[in-house]
Amino acid sequence: MGLFDRFQANGKVLSWAKSQVTKISQQVADSIRIIFQVKWSYSARRDAFAYLEMFHTSPRLNAVDIIANDEANVVFKVYRKSDLRMGKEDAIAIGDHPVYDLLENPIPSRPDIDGFTIRYLTRVWLELQGDCYWVIVRDKLGQPREIYPIPSNWVISAPTISMPYFLVMPQGNTASQTLEIAPENVVWFKTPNIAQPYARGRGRAEVVGDEIESDEYAAKYGKNFFYNDA
């Protein structure tokens, strides 16, 4: 066998080996992807709605209100990703973009739900529940035209292999009609649950959960004590 023939033979062997390694790597990648695909969905935590109610009654959650107000009042700007990668100081904000109108007036038919409101709600829900969602409504061209913010307790289940969509119960009312919303039309904000990173989010309000509940129960006990003529 000549030198050229040996090179050709070696080239074929190397090509075959490379092909086999690529196939094995792809099989491993596919296996990992399948294993980590969500096969079942977790419902919102039982205390998800309770924390929302206590937000309006417990002074211990005033810090969440302050954080949400500060974040909602921040003036946002739109940048190109390529500019940001080069360094924040070199990036120039885009002055005219449809997303400004969308985020400032997310639901034209509901002027009470403005940009401040959805940013405020998003931060409060993240702090208390650990996750929340923006449902995107698109026009005929597929462009986003409306944003509907919804809390975690409205979402019955997140996408899984058997049910690849978000199952939403608007208003959290069991008598209302449920909606099946495709993942590409949902922005999922989530504070990761370190015990179940592929499950629903988990809010930081749980850290002071017992203190908040104890404070609430003590206040109600004192109220009833005086209400019943002490």
Side-chain angles (χ1 to χ4, degrees), residues 7-25:
F7 277 134
Q8 258 194 331
N10 289 336
K12 289 180 180 178
V13 171
L14 289 174
S15 178
W16 176 85
K18 184 178 179 181
S19 175
Q20 291 301 109
V21 170
T22 302
K23 288 180 180 178
I24 293 172
S25 300

Side-chain angles (χ1 to χ4, degrees), residues 57-113:
T57 59
S58 175
R60 286 180 174 268
L61 291 174
N62 285 347
V64 176
D65 173 66
I66 294 171
I67 293 171
N69 261 297
D70 288 346
E71 187 168 311
N73 277 306
V74 171
V75 178
F76 65 90
K77 296 179 181 180
V78 179
Y79 295 88
R80 291 184 177 86
K81 284 185 179 180
S82 56
D83 291 343
L84 288 177
R85 291 192 186 104
M86 296 173 63
K88 189 175 181 180
E89 295 180 358
D90 299 326
I92 300 175
I94 301 173
D96 186 18
H97 195 281
V99 74
Y100 284 113
D101 294 330
L102 178 65
L103 293 177
E104 289 169 356
N105 187 22
I107 311 176
S109 61
R110 290 294 303 270
D112 56 315
I113 308 294

Side-chain angles (χ1 to χ4, degrees), residues 49-163:
F49 182 72
Y51 282 128
L52 298 188
E53 286 294 318
M54 282 195 291
F55 176 74
H56 294 288
T57 59
S58 175
R60 286 180 174 268
L61 291 174
N62 285 347
V64 176
D65 173 66
I66 294 171
I67 293 171
N69 261 297
D70 288 346
E71 187 168 311
N73 277 306
V74 171
V75 178
F76 65 90
K77 296 179 181 180
V78 179
Y79 295 88
R80 291 184 177 86
K81 284 185 179 180
S82 56
D83 291 343
L84 288 177
R85 291 192 186 104
M86 296 173 63
K88 189 175 181 180
E89 295 180 358
D90 299 326
I92 300 175
I94 301 173
D96 186 18
H97 195 281
V99 74
Y100 284 113
D101 294 330
L102 178 65
L103 293 177
E104 289 169 356
N105 187 22
I107 311 176
S109 61
R110 290 294 303 270
D112 56 315
I113 308 294
D114 57 7
F116 172 89
T117 303
I118 66 169
R119 292 192 294 274
Y120 178 86
L121 289 173
T122 300
R123 175 46 57 189
V124 171
W125 289 337
L126 278 174
E127 293 291 334
L128 300 183
Q129 296 183 317
D131 59 2
C132 62
Y133 309 83
W134 286 2
V135 176
I136 309 300
V137 177
R138 303 176 186 274
D139 60 18
K140 294 180 179 179
L141 299 177
Q143 297 300 313
R145 287 292 176 256
E146 293 182 337
I147 300 174
Y148 287 83
I150 58 176
S152 179
N153 54 291
W154 286 15
V155 179
I156 299 175
S157 63
T160 62
I161 292 177
S162 60
M163 193 170 65

